[in-house]
Amino acid sequence: MPLLPFSNRAENSQAKLAVLIDADNTQPAIIEGLLDEVAKYGIASVKRIYGDWTSTNLRSWKERLLANAIQPIQQFSYTAGKNATDSAMIIDAMDLLYSEKLDGFCIVSSDSDFTRLAARLRESGCTVYGFGAEKTPKAFVKVCDKFIYTEILLDNQEEPDEGEGRPPVRVRKEFKVDGKLLKLLRDAVDDSADESGWAYLGGVGQKINNRSNDFDPRTYGFRKLGDLFRAIPQFETEERPQEHGTGRQVYIRWKRKR
């Protein structure tokens, strides 16, 4: 079962992951955000990036590899118009599957050619995290346990907290609650709710991922799932002290008619 950033499942935080990057289909500017995102799910035990490094097209990648300890894998383009990088990544992924004790794979590409690879890795019991642009074909998106759009890694960088207490909610001007989003959130709350209608946020987050593996509150301009719920008037939130600990837990409920 995939570890979600909003699930607080610390016991899985040391999962061993392989990060495999398709340089031809990935922007160098996302690399810091990408590795920060991977760290939420586990340890990047393997970090490899594939491409034809004799080409000038990948020049902007080279300066970032050493700084982030990413191993470049050379793959010559044998035929014009054909991408040999995909085959090299797929072969390496299968080698790693059988030779290394890994808990999951992070496949970084917007190419649908990795759809069958992701399915095969999941069949072998590995968790698969996909990273790609919003143009990524749905077939690849849906086959992953969790899919993160790389635009989020560029547009929603963490900002310093302002003052004390909870960071303020930052809403994109274009944020609107459409019917599809509202139904997704309400169904997840209903699935997790107790008899009084309250549902623990961590459980709600897992239910959302089960229904929509590419959901992310940052897509709507919010850093946290709880902030998204607080901004939607149809829901009410409540913070409660933990039963065993000093922290507080967030609960969500669909607003009842007065």
Side-chain angles (χ1 to χ4, degrees):
M1 181 178 294
L3 172 66
L4 304 179
F6 38 74
S7 67
N8 296 321
R9 293 184 57 191
E11 67 270 21
N12 289 331
S13 62
Q14 297 304 304
K16 293 179 63 178
L17 305 173
V19 181
L20 308 180
I21 305 171
D22 177 2
D24 296 324
N25 284 289
T26 306
Q27 297 182 53
I30 72 160
I31 192 60
E32 285 78 12
L34 169 69
L35 295 178
D36 286 345
E37 188 73 18
V38 170
K40 297 178 182 179
Y41 303 98
I43 297 174
S45 299
V46 177
K47 291 184 288 185
R48 298 178 183 176
I49 184 167
Y50 300 78
D52 184 357
W53 301 102
T54 64
S55 169
T56 57
N57 295 335
L58 301 182
R59 183 182 303 166
S60 56
W61 265 112
K62 295 179 182 179
E63 62 187 35
R64 299 175 185 264
L65 302 185
L66 182 60
N68 293 284
I70 302 173
Q71 179 185 2
I73 305 297
Q74 171 63 29
Q75 181 58 54
F76 290 103
S77 299
Y78 298 115
T79 305
K82 298 292 184 179
N83 190 355
T85 299
D86 296 0
S87 298
M89 276 185 62
I90 292 169
I91 292 171
D92 259 15
M94 296 308 296
D95 285 345
L96 288 168
L97 175 65
Y98 291 110
S99 64
E100 302 289 336
K101 294 182 179 179
L102 296 169
D103 300 297
F105 287 78
C106 300
I107 302 175
V108 188
S109 179
S110 303
D111 195 332
S112 63
D113 289 349
F114 296 105
T115 301
R116 181 62 189 126
L117 171 64
R120 179 65 182 83
L121 294 172
R122 292 184 67 189
E123 289 169 4
S124 295
C126 288
T127 300
V128 176
Y129 301 98
F131 294 82
E134 291 180 357
K135 66 180 181 180
T136 304
K138 284 297 181 182
F140 179 39
V141 172
K142 294 301 182 182
V143 78
C144 298
D145 289 287
K146 179 69 179 174
F147 195 90
I148 298 94
Y149 292 109
T150 51
E151 287 84 356
I152 293 172
L153 307 180
L154 291 170
D155 297 340
N156 295 276
Q157 300 296 326
E158 289 289 336
E159 300 179 28
D161 294 352
E162 297 178 0
E164 298 180 357
R166 187 191 306 119
V169 176
R170 292 177 172 82
V171 187
R172 288 183 179 180
K173 293 181 180 179
E174 66 271 22
F175 171 67
K176 293 181 180 179
V177 185
D178 58 38
K180 183 178 179 181
L181 173 62
L182 195 61
K183 183 180 187 304
L184 172 65
L185 298 179
R186 183 174 184 179
D187 287 348
V189 170
D190 289 345
D191 288 348
S192 306
D194 58 21
E195 293 181 356
S196 63
W198 288 102
Y200 170 53
L201 181 63
V204 171
Q206 185 63 64
K207 295 295 184 182
I208 291 173
N209 188 72
N210 291 345
R211 293 173 177 269
S212 179
N213 71 331
D214 60 344
F215 172 84
D216 196 304
R218 292 169 297 180
T219 302
Y220 304 95
F222 299 91
R223 289 186 287 177
K224 303 292 183 181
L225 180 61
D227 292 336
L228 174 61
F229 273 109
R230 292 184 186 97
I232 300 176
Q234 288 89 339
F235 293 99
E236 56 183 320
T237 62
E238 179 178 281
E239 292 190 7
R240 304 176 186 176
Q242 292 182 356
E243 293 184 6
H244 305 287
T246 58
R248 301 181 69 81
Q249 295 177 326
V250 177
Y251 285 77
I252 312 295
R253 183 170 68 175
W254 180 262
K255 279 188 178 179
R256 297 179 175 180
K257 295 181 180 181
R258 303 294 183 184

